[in-house]
Amino acid sequence: ERNKIYAEICEAKIGSEYFEEKIVQTISGAAKTKEVQCETITVAEKGTMVTPWDLGDSLDASGTEPAEAEPPESPAGKSSKSPTAEEQGEAGAVPSATASSITLAESAAPASSPEEQECHSGAILTSAKLQQDLVVMERILMENIFQPKLAVYRQIPVLIEPDVTSDTEEEGDEEEEDEDEEEETAEAAESPAEGAGPRLELLWSYGCDLTRGHSVSSMAWNKANPDLLAVGYREFLSRDQRKGLACCWSLKNPMWPERIFRCDHGVTAVDFSLARPYLLAVGTASGRVAIYDVRSRQDSALLDSSASLNKHKGPVWQLRWVEQNRGAAAGDKEERLMCISGDGRVTQWFIQQRLDCSDVMQIKRTESEKKKLPGERERKSEGPISQQAAGMCFDFHPEDADIFLAGTEEGHIYCCSCSGKEQILGTYRGHEGPVYKVAWNPASTNMFLSCSADWSILLWHRDSHSPLLTFTSVTAFVHDIKWTPQSALMFAAVNEKRVEIWDLSVSIFDPVLSCAASPEGNLSSLLFARNTECLLLGDSYGQVGVWQLHSLAVPSTDQVWLCSQGLDSFP
């Protein structure tokens, strides 16, 4: 381009009187010789001889049918058997054109069409062996990515890969490490109390594009495999109801579920069977109850309540597999599937050729106790639209499977019995909104917790119909509560934005830990991990975060005993 510009300038200057043409000799640089050293390239000649008979034998062995063509007969009327060495030598005297034409004709016969090649490629891609190999490769990749986090979760040492560096780099790294240690020491000296209290650390989150936009409604661990987690997803967008999902997640792959079961309506409850851990019960917002076999990769349900005449007409808010004593003397136990629904029914489901149920009880509405103001006339009691109270949650007694608590939409809690004439043993009134969860204390079996949409958590004693303690920290719905497996005096709760951990041995006014654990959506459910100090939090964005609990002081046995005695004697 510069030469072109120079030529244009010269052409423009030819007619000028100031232009004079001269010749200048430029010095050419000396030639340089470069030598490149590489490994010796070895060359080997290999060859093989293929006859039409070899092609025919290989096609017969592979089972491919060659094109219909009669083999050419020899001019001497000999049989078409494989020739001997002499015959092959004579065949070598055949003209090259004739031999090549015969070879091309024979090799053209077994050529496969593009459609057959595509079918063969598809068979390879859909083969079970390739699928298994891909699963193994995926497991290896996930193990490499999440190894430090999984080691912390399983409470085993974290593997650190050694850094291979040169001497110069090592000296520089040592200087940087010394500087970093000095800075950390200075920071620790400035803030010695930092990190002393309990805190949460996010390890990873179960989530993918498939679950994004759904709300986590329920979670349940598998009873036999502590690494397998079932999560139910539902979503309500204005008046439209999107389809739900029930996914089984494994620690071996936190980025994609092992099983995906699609439902026509939002999934509201999930639970694994104890006697048959491969059975997963799923309840939906339409009242449907389905049982899936997680051993199968099919999306269809093993049993379904759609054909049942007694199916629920409201959302199945909670379901659970419960062990039932069938013979007290023999100690024989059987398992039953219990459900509570928005139609006011608590049902027991039977697994036979089809899924059918019977009503354990129907929750009736009760009038709220309102004091009559002086001078106020007595009004006629207006009949409710429905005689049944919508059931929201339940929890079975840890020692007696025939006794359970049932929370309702009107804010009442009922202590019920599955056997006997009196089904309702007691009524607990204290909430002003729907009761979202109830939970028996696994150690002190006379105590239980309840949370509600009225922003409060109440602690109850079975023999007292008024709450012992009320816990309120923020003005937000409390969606879920769970007693911690470490202590009988500690429990966790989630409201819309924060997760809280309360320790009754420390304070009954403020939680020992309050953390905003979902920056993208509202928290909706929680679950404690098994055999490790971790907490699982589900949100409205479709993520299930696995959080590690650090520096959480567990009350001593004496403190638990003293507090339990004080609470038992409270009423």
Side-chain angles (χ1 to χ4, degrees):
E1 186 178 357
R2 293 173 64 185
N3 293 337
K4 183 180 178 182
I5 295 173
Y6 180 72
E8 292 177 355
I9 294 174
C10 292
E11 290 178 0
K13 292 289 184 177
I14 289 177
S16 176
E17 58 182 356
Y18 300 104
F19 178 77
E20 184 177 356
E21 184 176 359
K22 290 184 180 181
I23 298 175
V24 179
Q25 183 179 5
T26 58
I27 301 175
S28 301
K32 296 181 180 179
T33 303
K34 292 185 179 180
E35 295 181 356
V36 179
Q37 183 179 1
C38 65
E39 296 181 359
T40 305
I41 301 175
T42 58
V43 181
E45 294 184 0
K46 293 185 180 180
T48 184
M49 180 177 179
V50 180
T51 63
W53 295 275
D54 295 332
L55 294 175
D57 294 340
S58 62
L59 287 174
D60 294 339
S62 62
T64 307
E65 297 181 358
E68 296 180 359
E70 295 181 2
E73 295 182 1
S74 60
K78 295 181 181 180
S79 60
S80 60
K81 294 183 179 179
S82 177
T84 60
E86 296 178 358
E87 294 173 351
Q88 290 180 2
E90 295 174 359
V94 180
S96 60
T98 308
S100 60
S101 62
I102 294 174
T103 305
L104 291 174
E106 293 293 335
S107 61
S112 58
S113 61
E115 291 79 6
E116 293 179 355
Q117 293 179 358
E118 291 180 1
C119 294
H120 184 62
S121 302
I124 294 176
L125 294 176
T126 57
S127 63
K129 182 66 169 62
L130 179 62
Q131 297 292 333
Q132 183 64 26
D133 294 342
L134 290 176
V135 169
V136 174
M137 185 185 298
E138 186 181 49
R139 293 281 193 270
I140 295 172
L141 291 175
M142 294 298 106
E143 191 72 20
N144 291 337
I145 295 172
F146 293 97
Q147 192 276 330
K149 303 295 185 181
L150 291 174
V152 173
Y153 179 86
R154 297 185 184 277
Q155 299 178 356
I156 59 177
V158 180
L159 297 178
I160 300 175
E161 297 183 0
D163 295 332
V164 180
T165 56
S166 61
D167 297 339
T168 308
E169 293 177 353
E170 286 179 358
E171 294 177 359
D173 293 341
E174 289 178 358
E175 294 178 358
E176 292 178 359
E177 288 178 0
D178 295 338
E179 293 177 359
D180 294 340
E181 289 178 358
E182 292 177 358
E183 292 178 359
E184 291 177 359
T185 306
E187 291 177 359
E190 292 176 1
S191 57
E194 185 179 355
R199 60 186 178 87
L200 289 176
E201 178 189 358
L202 179 63
L203 298 181
W204 70 83
S205 295
Y206 292 111
C208 59
D209 295 338
L210 189 65
T211 62
R212 186 173 292 112
H214 293 76
S215 177
V216 177
S217 59
S218 59
M219 298 181 289
W221 288 109
N222 187 278
K223 308 306 193 290
N225 184 3
D227 294 345
L228 189 61
L229 174 70
V231 182
Y233 300 90
R234 65 187 177 97
E235 177 68 18
F236 294 92
L237 294 177
S238 65
R239 297 181 180 179
D240 299 329
Q241 192 175 12
R242 293 177 57 181
K243 294 184 177 181
L245 295 171
C247 298
C248 294
W249 294 89
S250 174
L251 289 180
K252 298 176 181 178
N253 187 2
M255 299 182 67
W256 190 260
E258 298 292 322
R259 297 289 184 271
I260 301 171
F261 305 108
R262 293 175 174 82
C263 302
D264 294 334
H265 299 84
V267 174
T268 53
V270 292
D271 193 27
F272 276 108
S273 171
L274 178 61
R276 289 165 286 187
Y278 54 86
L279 294 183
L280 175 66
V282 175
T284 65
S286 63
R288 174 176 173 261
V289 177
I291 296 178
Y292 293 89
D293 187 352
V294 297
R295 299 174 300 179
S296 174
R297 293 186 177 273
Q298 296 181 357
D299 196 8
S300 59
L302 185 65
L303 293 171
D304 195 344
S305 66
S306 301
S308 176
L309 300 177
N310 298 326
K311 61 184 178 181
H312 288 290
K313 297 176 178 60
V316 179
W317 291 117
Q318 195 170 357
L319 53 80
R320 182 174 298 178
W321 298 87
V322 181
E323 284 188 348
Q324 181 182 14
N325 294 328
R326 187 168 52 186
D332 192 10
K333 293 184 179 181
E334 65 177 0
E335 200 174 33
R336 54 181 177 172
L337 179 61
M338 305 294 294
C339 298
I340 187 169
S341 173
D343 58 6
R345 298 161 55 202
V346 180
T347 56
Q348 176 180 351
W349 293 83
F350 305 98
I351 301 176
Q352 298 172 353
Q353 294 182 352
R354 66 173 187 175
L355 200 60
D356 205 350
C357 70
S358 63
D359 289 350
V360 175
M361 68 170 296
Q362 294 186 0
I363 306 174
K364 303 292 184 181
R365 288 185 180 272
T366 57
E367 296 181 359
S368 59
E369 298 178 353
K370 292 183 179 180
K371 293 183 179 181
K372 184 179 177 182
L373 298 175
E376 183 181 4
R377 293 183 179 180
E378 184 177 354
R379 297 181 180 180
K380 293 182 180 180
S381 59
E382 297 179 357
I385 298 176
S386 175
Q387 295 295 332
Q388 279 78 27
M392 299 294 294
C393 57
F394 64 178
D395 190 28
F396 282 81
H397 197 274
E399 295 179 353
D400 190 356
D402 289 334
I403 297 176
F404 65 93
L405 298 169
T408 63
E409 190 178 16
E410 57 185 356
H412 299 162
I413 303 172
Y414 300 96
C415 183
C416 309
S417 174
C418 298
S419 60
K421 295 181 180 179
E422 295 184 3
Q423 290 185 331
I424 297 180
L425 305 179
T427 304
Y428 306 93
R429 296 179 175 88
H431 286 293
E432 301 295 333
V435 180
Y436 287 147
K437 282 292 185 297
V438 290
W440 287 101
N441 192 315
S444 181
T445 56
N446 288 326
M447 317 293 294
F448 63 91
L449 285 170
S450 63
C451 65
S452 171
D454 61 0
W455 313 336
S456 66
I457 303 170
L458 301 182
L459 177 65
W460 304 82
H461 193 280
R462 182 177 174 181
D463 298 332
S464 176
H465 295 284
S466 58
L468 304 182
L469 296 172
T470 301
F471 309 97
T472 303
S473 60
V474 294
T475 56
F477 293 171
V478 185
H479 292 285
D480 201 356
I481 49 172
K482 289 287 189 304
W483 291 97
T484 61
Q486 289 87 0
S487 173
L489 297 178
M490 300 174 64
F491 65 90
V494 291
N495 49 50
E496 293 181 352
K497 288 295 183 182
R498 307 183 71 83
V499 55
E500 299 175 348
I501 295 182
W502 294 77
D503 190 350
L504 302 183
S505 64
V506 176
S507 173
I508 61 174
F509 301 104
D510 297 311
V512 295
L513 174 64
S514 180
C515 176
S518 179
E520 295 180 345
N522 296 332
L523 294 175
S524 57
S525 60
L526 68 89
L527 182 66
F528 281 97
R530 299 172 59 185
N531 305 325
T532 183
E533 295 182 357
C534 288
L535 182 66
L536 278 70
L537 300 175
D539 58 21
S540 59
Y541 196 67
Q543 301 283 335
V544 178
V546 181
W547 297 78
Q548 175 76 17
L549 291 168
H550 292 283
S551 305
L552 186 63
V554 178
S556 62
T557 307
D558 296 336
Q559 289 177 323
V560 173
W561 184 82
L562 290 174
C563 291
S564 300
Q565 292 297 321
L567 291 174
D568 287 338
S569 59
F570 190 89

